[in-house]
Amino acid sequence: MGKKKVVIITTGGTIAMKYDEVTNGLVPAISGDDLIQAVPALKDVIPVEIVEYSNVPSGHITPDMMFELALMIDKIAIAEDVAGIVITHGTDTQEETIYLLDLVCKTEKPICITGAMRGASETGPDGPANILAAVRTAACQEAVGKGALLVFNDEIHAASEVTKTQTTSCSTFKSPGWGPLGHVYFDRVVFKRRMEKRQKIQPTTIGSDVYLIKCVAGLDDYLFKALAAKPARGIVVEAFGCGNVPPAVKEGIELVRKQGIPVVLTSRVHMGRVVPAYSYLGSAQSMKDADIILAGEITGQKARIKLLLALGLTDETEKLRAYFDS
Ligand code: ASP
């Protein structure tokens, strides 16, 4: 068997940006090869191959692009000489992309996403160290079968648990309530736990038109009426606490449900499950007749990704619910 390599797929993000004097801000400027040139230590780890997918801020990445990346990764991973895959990606939507890859990709080879909080032209850019840690993880035998991973600031996080928690810090990625799966200590990759349950949703096409509505005090049903008129294919609601919404939102949910639009309930609180603990007006239990789907422990943005994928397989509420129950 020949020598193994890690394939690095570049998509853009701050990691590939430089300061532009004309616009007075960071703009995409760095090629895949430039990224690798900045990490000379890679040569002591494993050979790498670059595949340039895009060079855009992650706010420009769509679920369709994430899905295309997932298919691309599975194709690349078939080759025997590929040990693992690294994706470089903007941090803003990185948690959505890695969650989609975790659900969709068939390969058991390590898939690691990373990026940077500081642009390549800034003082102390974190991109090179993050690439090195991600490649080390992707090349490591222990990472096989652990699902898609987010490797950042020498921490290894599970796709379903990780979220961006700080607007500018290099230690922005955290898994609230869980902590990282492992750490990268210079040349050692150390896992301290594994995900007990890993889920797969593998449609041949991804759904579209799924919206996320965050509850705020006094929110009315205007957005629900607009989405009922559209009509949207699915709605994720970020409720208060363990799954409670204002009375007018309950009415909005009932309205869209009457049209058969699936509604998934998540919480705007960053830790814990949605639980139908109360029966007052607007509680998850009070919407029992509307047959809403409780999302479990994932965030609103991840529930949207999951619903988009599940809608690629079915429109039936009971079948959709099964993806959120497991
Ligand atoms: N706005 C950038 C992006 O998500 C932020 C980053 O990469 O850190 O592309």
Side-chain angles (χ1 to χ4, degrees):
M1 195 168 48
K3 212 168 165 21
K4 299 260 186 189
K5 65 182 175 192
V6 164
V7 176
I8 302 179
I9 304 175
T10 60
T11 70
T14 299
I15 194 165
M17 293 190 196
K18 269 188 173 166
Y19 179 73
D20 174 52
E21 278 180 14
V22 180
T23 55
N24 191 26
L26 295 169
V27 291
I30 308 274
S31 72
D33 282 333
D34 294 338
L35 277 181
I36 298 318
Q37 294 303 323
V39 200
L42 275 179
K43 69 174 186 336
D44 303 322
V45 181
I46 194 166
V48 296
E49 183 188 311
I50 303 290
V51 175
E52 289 183 332
Y53 173 79
S54 61
N55 194 354
V56 294
S58 68
H60 296 201
I61 301 261
T62 63
D64 284 341
M65 291 163 80
M66 297 172 191
F67 192 68
E68 189 174 51
L69 271 172
L71 302 185
M72 192 189 222
I73 287 169
D74 271 336
K75 261 193 205 144
I76 291 172
I78 289 171
E80 229 190 290
D81 63 342
V82 172
I85 286 125
V86 167
I87 304 107
T88 59
H89 193 291
T91 57
D92 291 349
T93 63
Q94 196 167 122
E95 65 202 76
E96 282 154 88
T97 295
I98 197 65
Y99 187 54
L100 183 141
L101 299 182
D102 193 44
L103 291 171
V104 173
C105 286
K106 296 189 166 77
T107 182
E108 287 294 298
K109 290 182 181 176
I111 300 168
C112 300
I113 202 163
T114 197
M117 292 299 285
R118 297 188 188 135
S121 59
E122 287 180 81
T123 306
D126 52 334
N130 284 340
I131 290 177
L132 187 60
V135 169
R136 281 196 203 284
T137 309
C140 136
Q141 189 54 35
E142 254 211 273
V144 174
K146 292 231 167 34
L149 304 166
L150 190 147
V151 183
F152 216 96
N153 201 36
D154 286 340
E155 292 181 354
I156 306 168
H157 292 270
S160 60
E161 296 170 349
V162 69
T163 193
K164 189 173 182 179
T165 64
Q166 218 274 0
T167 52
T168 60
S169 164
C170 294
S171 64
T172 185
F173 283 105
K174 298 288 171 213
S175 296
W178 302 108
L181 295 180
H183 289 93
V184 182
Y185 293 99
F186 300 100
D187 59 350
R188 278 194 70 192
V189 177
V190 179
F191 283 93
K192 58 183 181 186
R193 66 180 176 95
R194 60 179 304 131
M195 292 299 291
E196 285 299 326
K197 288 180 185 161
R198 287 182 47 218
Q199 197 180 8
K200 287 289 161 198
I201 309 180
Q202 295 167 321
T204 49
T205 55
I206 181 168
S208 59
D209 247 2
V210 174
Y211 293 82
L212 170 60
I213 298 179
K214 184 184 191 120
C215 283
V216 288
L219 184 64
D220 62 24
D221 60 355
Y222 177 82
L223 295 171
F224 292 90
K225 285 182 181 152
L227 293 175
K230 200 171 189 281
R233 279 197 73 198
I235 302 173
V236 176
V237 177
E238 261 187 26
F240 305 132
C242 63
N244 315 304
V245 302
V249 170
K250 174 183 184 278
E251 278 170 30
I253 290 175
E254 285 165 351
L255 172 83
V256 297
R257 283 300 298 136
K258 277 195 193 115
Q259 279 191 234
I261 300 172
V263 174
V264 175
L265 202 68
T266 65
S267 174
R268 68 178 201 175
V269 179
H270 65 274
M271 281 193 259
R273 291 185 79 77
V274 175
V275 185
Y278 303 95
S279 51
Y280 66 79
L281 183 69
S283 64
Q285 216 191 111
S286 77
M287 289 182 279
K288 219 167 150 216
D289 291 343
D291 207 16
I292 51 173
I293 298 168
L294 305 186
E297 258 168 89
I298 50 173
T299 58
Q301 59 269 29
K302 285 185 190 167
R304 174 175 169 267
I305 293 291
K306 190 187 253 195
L307 186 54
L308 281 165
L309 290 172
L311 283 169
L313 290 166
T314 181
D315 276 322
E316 290 172 45
T317 305
E318 276 325 298
K319 289 191 179 153
L320 291 172
R321 186 191 313 286
Y323 291 112
F324 287 88
D325 276 349
S326 56

